[in-house]
Amino acid sequence: MNLKTKLILVGILFFNISLFAQNTYVVSGTVSDAYNVPIPGVNVIVAGTSRGAATDFDGKYQLEVKSGEKLKFSFLGYVSQTVAITGQKQLDITLAEDASSLDEVVVIGYGARKKSDITGAVSSIKEEELNAFPVLDATQALQGRAAGVVVQSNNGGEPGAPINIKIRGNTSINASSSPLIVVDGFVGASMPQANDIQSMEVLKDASATAIYGSRGSNGVVMVTTKKGKSGKLSVELNSNYSVQNASNRLDLLNADEFAAYQQIANPSFVQGPANTDWQDLLYRSGSIQNHQFSFSGGTDNINFYASANYFKQEGIIINSGYERLTFLSNVDAQVTDKLKLGMNLFGSRGAKEGVPTQSTGNDGINGGGDDVISLMFRFRPDYGVKDANGLNTTSDGVGDNIDNPYAIATEAVNSTKTDQFRANLYANYDIIENLTFKTTLGYSTTNETVGFFRPSTLINTAGGGTGGKASISNLKRTDILSENYLTYDAEIGKGNLTLLAGYSYQKTTSERFSAGAQNFISNSFSYYNLSGGSVTVLPTSSLTEAEIQSQFGRLNYDFDDKYLLTATVRRDGASNFAANEKYAIFPSGAIGWKISNENFLKDHDKISNLKLRASYGVTGNQAIDAYKSLARFTTLYTTINGQVVNAVIPDQAANPDLKWESSYQTNVGLDLGLFNNKVSLSLDYYNIDTKDLLLADASQPEYLGFATLASIKNVGEINNKGFEISLNTKNMYTDNFSWTTDFNWATNKNKVVSLLNGIDVFQDASPGYFSVARTHVLREGEAVGVFYGYEYRGVYQGGALPAGTALANAPLNQAGDPLFTDIDDSGTISTADQKIIGDPNPDWTMGITNNFSYKNFDLNIFFQGAYGGDVFNLTNVQLYNGDSNALKDVLNAWTPTNTDTNIPRVVGSRGREISSRFVEDGSYIRLKNIALGYNLPSEVTEKLGMDNVRLSISAQNLLTFTSYSGLDPEVSYFGSGGGNTGSGNTTQGFDFGNYPTIKSVNFSLNVKF
């Protein structure tokens, strides 16, 4: 090629580049809705290409285009719009709401539906609601957000405390009432942290939950984590820091007041040398730091999302804290036109350092003396931390001899380390048009190690003379899940038909061991050197396996976008149950009528949506331990001539007919949208009859020789019925200002319908050292978990007893002692005079959120509350008992010269009565969150090279309006049974030794690139 030819070619090249450059330019603009509110996250794509962008927080975009091309603007819930490029450099777009789809897509079991096509009771929680304030996981953020969903910490504000969820009341007695959690299709997964969640739905009625059969009776929480989007790489940083303090304190006696109080009952009492405020000593300012980094992106064929999160909380009680590191990643790949593959990975490492709280009083410790919270109130204020010899003080001379709370908080060790990993892989294949096959394979493992150490310096707490004691235990749980299902989706005439059929198999394996020792030569090794103890505690180990295999199917039919039909069936087989009853079938059906799409309403200027729903179905509950239907043996140890020997004895009798609890659920609902859905209202009424209750029956005679007398049987029935309201309003929209409100309100009426032979079932939820026989009763016609005790009638003033009353036995039968109702008219108080004295179940619960925005500022105000539930104040039982420190109210106790009081006279010990005197109204309204946010203007963020920068300050639990005298009305003492039974139903509403609720101020930074 000669020089002339080369010059000609170069000239042609530059000419073409010049032409292209002249035809290419940057178009920019803002995408808003019909109310002129900017819409962030709108996809702006050059039609027929992979070039595109997304609008920022202010709805702004910019993109390089050529004249003649077309831009497509699309966003979920809005009608897509395509605009031809004819030289415009400024192109502002207004997207109309897709009225046919109120049509946000709602995730349901094994699929998704348009919200307008849902026939069941489903609540959706918005992403911004889940991230309104920092939480350990998204479970806490659910509180007050959905009608009929009650969320409560099992131990107040304790760092790392488990969270209990109940949907539509107590649907069981012995078996768990916790809902099933499904994360990205993995059944029974742990909840991810809130910043990683794209959407969350709560499935409440049988129509929505029956697809999960034996696991759906308590509701289902569906979680979908974030996915990547095609386009440029998106990077996000979320950083939060909170300052926390106790929301309340008790008004206790100081040293002088305490001495005067004790000297009333014991004139020889000698006051100690100190004046210690144990609350001041143990409370501190706590903190939370929560930092998340994520990045996502993709192409037309593959997208990805990955995040890492670090959470650390220092509790408001010294030496309590929790730390966790998590990661999550999602990858989805369109391999061919027919085949799509995906993978979800989740992992976490959590470490909890906790002080002992909520003592059972049943572990060999004198007087329940290992509980820091209750000891903080009980321990005598006239003693310091150390005595004259430099040893830890004990409360000798007053009540039980117990170690001081500061020593326990600083020297006792309660350590829990938890590792979790979950992997879920899927393949989705389009077999033919309208027919797809999806297969998933999931693996999950949890490894938890619990360390326990009580040094010899804690003389009473360590068992007294044992030289310290330690133990270590481990639980490893693995889940393998395989699910395979076909989905057929096609238009048939005026209707749309979706058919689903599938098979599921899940196996859970749990391996446990524990070992312990006492009498250590040194306190230096904590629980890490059990061989340092000269006395070995008997080790334990176990292996448990449980399997569930299922077949399921669902039909959805939408005719003429007016009439909806849903039919579901699932057949479950569970190894937990007897050979004769392993399998059960759980069907459901639902209908819906879109009245607003009828001709007589279709063009109504005010009613934009009106739909009636009705459903009926059966779901099951198999949440009991494995092998409960089998004849089992257990080991027995004893000594013969000084030698330890072991034997095997019968543990429980076989029950070949043990089967599922079954919940028969009816739901009737109405969805209403007014004024182009500026007002959206959902109403639901439900009735749930749970039959064949899985309940421990202790009627088995002892002479049969079984170690476990209370074997699980199917006995009884309970009923839950209630009404739910969800209201969302768009109150005001202008160019610079908007205001929206979300409100939910729900009632639940719970009743025991029948029990075995109609006999009452009594339970005790008090600390073991209370020596109380019963505090709760299950009785036909009453709610589950009602309080049981004596009816308090005031203070006896002397003379003739008021009609229908009696006094306790001597010496508590003098003027100034409490009067109780004498039910059997015997003239004395005995267990025959006990009755139902309170109900912990609230009459209704509510939540209301108001969101305001003005230019770049936004304000969120969230109230949450409950009405009508009682609280039994076990803390006050102890503090009015006379054998510990007390509330200042005791200074107004009855005396011959102070008779106008409801507080009995001071005595050395009242025996810790369980009476209505300590039952209080637990109703409350709480300012759960108030948050003020500011988004930096786009011209500032552009100079910084960022898409968006958001700053916010918020406060949690700032105000609580309640008449309850304790620390907080939201309580869940797990009772003398020990372990974590906060998710149980029969021992609710007791307040004793709970970790205090916290109030906090939080500072947040969100940066997007």
Side-chain angles (χ1 to χ4, degrees):
M1 184 182 296
N2 58 35
L3 179 61
K4 182 177 180 181
T5 303
K6 291 180 180 179
L7 290 173
I8 293 173
L9 290 175
V10 170
I12 293 173
L13 177 63
F14 275 106
F15 178 73
N16 287 333
I17 291 174
S18 176
L19 288 176
F20 181 81
Q22 291 175 12
N23 199 32
T24 302
Y25 64 94
V26 173
V27 64
S28 61
T30 301
V31 182
S32 306
D33 65 12
Y35 307 102
N36 204 31
V37 176
I39 308 175
V42 176
N43 289 319
V44 186
I45 304 293
V46 177
T49 75
S50 60
R51 302 197 331 268
T55 58
D56 62 16
F57 189 85
D58 297 314
K60 298 182 183 299
Y61 74 94
Q62 60 180 24
L63 187 64
E64 193 172 79
V65 296
K66 293 188 298 183
S67 290
E69 290 182 327
K70 293 182 178 180
L71 286 186
K72 183 177 180 180
F73 299 82
S74 60
F75 189 67
L76 189 65
Y78 293 84
V79 178
S80 296
Q81 195 172 142
T82 302
V83 179
I85 299 300
T86 58
Q88 314 97 312
K89 292 187 177 180
Q90 178 72 25
L91 181 58
D92 295 329
I93 298 296
T94 299
L95 292 182
E97 288 188 18
D98 188 351
S100 66
S101 65
L102 301 151
D103 280 351
E104 82 197 52
V105 174
V106 174
V107 177
I108 57 175
Y110 306 103
R113 301 282 292 170
K114 292 187 299 185
K115 189 173 182 179
S116 60
D117 292 342
I118 293 293
T119 54
V122 179
S123 292
S124 296
I125 293 87
K126 303 171 185 175
E127 181 183 347
E128 57 268 26
E129 292 176 328
L130 296 175
N131 292 287
F133 52 91
V135 291
L136 175 59
D137 66 40
T139 306
Q140 295 165 278
L142 265 175
Q143 187 177 40
R145 301 295 189 181
V149 180
V150 176
V151 179
Q152 185 175 9
S153 168
N154 282 352
N155 194 19
E158 181 189 29
I163 306 297
N164 181 40
I165 310 175
K166 288 182 181 176
I167 298 173
R168 294 186 165 180
N170 302 323
T171 53
S172 182
I173 292 181
N174 262 25
S176 172
S177 284
S178 298
L180 177 68
I181 295 177
V182 180
V183 179
D184 293 325
F186 197 101
V187 178
S190 57
M191 186 74 77
Q193 62 98 23
N195 282 323
D196 284 329
I197 295 178
Q198 181 67 45
S199 66
M200 181 184 291
E201 279 77 34
V202 180
L203 315 184
K204 295 186 284 191
D205 73 330
S207 171
T209 65
I211 195 67
Y212 288 106
S214 66
R215 295 174 158 192
S217 64
N218 302 323
V220 181
V221 180
M222 304 290 300
V223 178
T224 303
T225 56
K226 292 180 179 178
K227 310 287 186 181
K229 299 178 181 179
S230 61
K232 73 169 189 173
L233 182 68
S234 176
V235 178
E236 185 170 351
L237 173 67
N238 290 285
S239 187
N240 297 274
Y241 183 81
S242 301
V243 178
Q244 301 184 316
N245 287 284
S247 61
N248 198 4
R249 292 193 179 195
L250 295 185
D251 194 11
L252 301 170
L253 301 177
N254 62 31
D256 292 337
E257 293 166 335
F258 173 74
Y261 166 65
Q262 288 294 320
Q263 286 164 358
I264 296 173
N266 179 16
S268 63
F269 176 82
V270 178
Q271 183 174 349
N275 184 16
T276 305
D277 187 326
W278 295 102
Q279 293 183 94
D280 276 348
L281 208 56
L282 287 160
Y283 282 133
R284 66 177 179 184
S285 289
S287 65
I288 286 180
Q289 52 178 309
N290 189 20
H291 312 289
Q292 188 222 23
F293 172 77
S294 67
F295 59 95
S296 61
T299 65
D300 289 342
N301 296 323
I302 188 169
N303 59 64
F304 64 89
Y305 173 87
S307 78
N309 179 263
Y310 175 73
F311 179 96
K312 183 177 181 180
Q313 181 177 4
E314 293 183 346
I316 60 171
I317 299 293
I318 59 173
N319 277 2
S320 64
Y322 184 79
E323 189 172 19
R324 190 173 78 168
L325 179 67
T326 64
F327 72 85
L328 181 141
S329 66
N330 290 320
V331 178
D332 298 279
Q334 191 71 49
V335 180
T336 69
D337 290 342
K338 290 180 172 290
L339 178 63
K340 186 176 183 179
L341 302 177
M343 177 177 67
N344 169 268
L345 297 176
F346 170 84
S348 71
R349 174 65 189 267
K352 177 183 175 183
E353 298 298 332
V355 297
T357 59
Q358 295 203 46
S359 168
T360 67
N362 278 350
D363 54 4
I365 297 172
N366 180 31
D370 62 338
D371 171 20
V372 167
I373 306 299
S374 68
L375 291 183
M376 179 169 62
F377 309 140
R378 292 171 61 190
F379 200 85
R380 51 190 299 176
D382 59 335
Y383 275 9
V385 175
K386 301 289 184 180
D387 63 18
N389 299 315
L391 302 177
N392 290 326
T393 57
T394 61
S395 189
D396 59 318
V398 178
D400 299 308
N401 194 17
I402 49 180
D403 292 298
N404 74 70
Y406 184 85
I408 296 172
T410 54
E411 297 179 21
V413 176
N414 291 271
S415 176
T416 303
K417 297 180 176 66
T418 306
D419 296 309
Q420 291 183 313
F421 174 77
R422 183 175 70 246
N424 204 23
L425 292 86
Y426 79 87
N428 197 90
Y429 184 72
D430 297 330
I431 301 173
I432 57 175
E433 186 179 1
N434 303 328
L435 180 64
T436 62
F437 171 72
K438 185 171 184 178
T439 180
T440 67
L441 178 63
Y443 172 82
S444 172
T445 181
T446 299
N447 201 321
E448 181 179 86
T449 301
V450 179
F452 169 96
F453 180 62
R454 300 293 183 266
S456 59
T457 53
L458 300 174
I459 298 172
N460 297 295
T461 306
T466 63
K469 57 184 181 181
S471 68
I472 186 168
S473 60
N474 179 263
L475 164 65
K476 182 180 180 181
R477 171 177 167 155
T478 59
D479 279 276
I480 297 174
L481 173 67
S482 174
E483 296 192 309
N484 305 272
Y485 54 95
L486 292 162
T487 304
Y488 178 78
D489 194 340
E491 291 186 9
I492 301 176
K494 288 186 175 182
N496 188 80
L497 174 69
T498 302
L499 297 174
L500 173 78
Y503 172 83
S504 174
Y505 172 82
Q506 187 163 12
K507 181 177 181 179
T508 302
T509 303
S510 298
E511 302 171 73
R512 301 174 185 266
F513 81 83
S514 66
Q518 296 180 359
N519 199 21
F520 287 87
I521 194 171
S522 169
N523 291 321
S524 302
F525 300 108
S526 186
Y527 58 84
Y528 290 107
N529 184 15
L530 297 182
S531 63
S534 61
V535 179
T536 301
V537 178
L538 193 67
T540 63
S541 61
S542 66
L543 171 66
T544 303
E545 294 180 326
E547 296 175 279
I548 296 180
Q549 60 177 359
S550 313
Q551 303 86 39
F552 54 87
R554 182 174 60 216
L555 177 151
N556 291 104
Y557 186 63
D558 172 3
F559 179 75
D560 200 22
D561 200 25
K562 298 177 184 176
Y563 313 109
L564 307 171
L565 172 66
T566 300
T568 304
V569 65
R570 181 162 177 139
R571 178 177 181 263
D572 274 340
S575 63
N576 289 12
F577 293 102
N580 301 337
E581 300 287 352
K582 287 192 182 297
Y583 287 90
I585 295 176
F586 303 101
S588 78
I591 55 175
W593 180 22
K594 296 183 181 179
I595 305 174
S596 53
N597 285 358
E598 297 286 359
N599 290 335
F600 58 84
L601 272 183
K602 197 168 187 178
D603 298 319
H604 199 283
D605 60 345
K606 293 183 177 61
I607 299 176
S608 44
N609 175 48
L610 179 60
K611 180 175 69 175
L612 282 175
R613 298 176 278 106
S615 70
Y616 179 81
V618 184
T619 55
N621 193 341
Q622 47 82 40
I624 60 172
D625 293 337
Y627 316 129
K628 286 296 184 181
S629 67
L630 303 179
R632 297 196 309 179
F633 291 88
T634 187
T635 53
L636 174 69
Y637 291 85
T638 188
T639 58
I640 299 178
N641 297 325
Q643 297 293 318
V644 177
V645 295
N646 60 339
V648 175
I649 64 171
D651 180 29
Q652 70 177 25
N655 183 355
D657 299 315
L658 188 66
K659 61 182 179 180
W660 322 74
E661 285 185 355
S662 295
S663 293
Y664 301 80
Q665 304 186 29
T666 301
N667 191 94
V668 179
L670 178 144
D671 300 322
L672 174 66
L674 301 174
F675 314 112
N676 198 26
N677 295 317
K678 289 182 181 179
V679 177
S680 298
L681 174 69
S682 289
L683 305 176
D684 281 276
Y685 169 81
Y686 64 88
N687 183 84
I688 306 173
D689 292 304
T690 305
K691 302 180 180 182
D692 298 318
L693 293 176
L694 294 164
L695 188 62
D697 173 24
S699 62
Q700 192 167 243
E702 293 187 23
Y703 61 74
L704 292 178
F706 292 103
T708 301
L709 296 178
S711 57
I712 299 294
K713 294 183 179 180
N714 294 107
V715 289
E717 176 184 346
I718 59 176
N719 173 265
N720 284 273
K721 62 181 64 175
F723 186 69
E724 298 170 351
I725 299 174
S726 296
L727 176 66
N728 311 103
T729 61
K730 300 175 181 178
N731 305 313
M732 187 178 297
Y733 277 97
T734 66
D735 290 346
N736 294 319
F737 179 77
S738 68
W739 170 29
T740 64
T741 300
D742 297 325
F743 171 77
N744 68 80
W745 181 87
T747 69
N748 179 265
K749 183 68 174 177
N750 174 268
K751 183 174 71 171
V752 177
V753 177
S754 66
L755 294 168
L756 182 65
N757 300 321
I759 299 173
D760 291 347
V761 178
F762 295 101
Q763 296 185 329
D764 175 26
S766 66
Y769 77 93
F770 269 41
S771 300
V772 173
R774 50 198 188 185
T775 60
H776 290 73
V777 64
L778 292 172
R779 175 175 291 173
E780 291 184 357
E782 301 292 342
V784 173
V786 291
F787 306 145
Y788 197 73
Y790 302 104
E791 184 179 34
Y792 179 64
R793 296 284 295 274
V795 178
Y796 174 49
Q797 301 294 335
L801 290 171
T805 67
L807 292 162
N809 295 324
L812 303 178
N813 57 355
Q814 305 173 30
D817 284 328
L819 284 165
F820 304 102
T821 298
D822 185 13
I823 294 176
D824 65 354
D825 201 27
S826 65
T828 60
I829 294 299
S830 66
T831 55
D833 298 307
Q834 291 178 319
K835 58 177 291 189
I836 293 172
I837 55 175
D839 182 358
N841 301 285
D843 295 333
W844 52 259
T845 58
M846 58 80 67
I848 182 169
T849 304
N850 281 283
N851 291 292
F852 305 89
S853 68
Y854 177 72
K855 295 185 177 179
N856 289 355
F857 289 92
D858 56 82
L859 177 66
N860 172 279
I861 303 174
F862 171 38
F863 283 90
Q864 173 264 331
Y867 175 81
D870 293 323
V871 176
F872 196 101
N873 196 332
L874 275 176
T875 300
N876 279 6
V877 173
Q878 174 62 64
L879 296 182
Y880 284 112
N881 193 53
D883 63 349
S884 69
N885 198 10
L887 298 166
K888 286 189 185 294
D889 288 351
V890 299
L891 300 177
N892 188 38
W894 186 97
T895 67
T897 58
N898 182 41
T899 59
D900 187 18
T901 178
N902 199 41
I903 300 174
R905 68 186 177 94
V906 177
V907 296
S909 175
R910 289 208 166 274
R912 302 183 179 98
E913 74 193 50
I914 302 299
S915 76
S916 60
R917 175 185 171 198
F918 302 104
V919 176
E920 301 185 45
D921 181 10
S923 303
Y924 70 93
I925 296 291
R926 171 168 287 152
L927 178 55
K928 190 70 177 178
N929 184 60
I930 180 169
L932 178 66
Y934 176 72
N935 295 281
L936 267 63
S938 56
E939 54 267 25
V940 175
T941 57
E942 287 174 4
K943 292 178 181 179
L944 296 173
M946 302 173 181
D947 289 344
N948 187 64
V949 177
R950 174 178 169 80
L951 303 169
S952 67
I953 180 172
S954 63
Q956 291 76 48
N957 301 327
L958 201 59
L959 295 172
T960 300
F961 305 96
T962 182
S963 62
Y964 180 60
S965 68
L967 291 180
D968 191 83
E970 281 191 277
V971 289
S972 182
Y973 173 61
F974 55 54
S976 61
N980 180 7
T981 59
S983 61
N985 304 316
T986 58
T987 56
Q988 302 175 90
F990 265 32
D991 181 4
F992 186 81
N994 294 71
Y995 197 102
T997 300
I998 55 178
K999 58 182 178 182
S1000 61
V1001 176
N1002 176 64
F1003 305 90
S1004 299
L1005 169 68
N1006 171 263
V1007 180
K1008 294 180 181 180
F1009 297 90

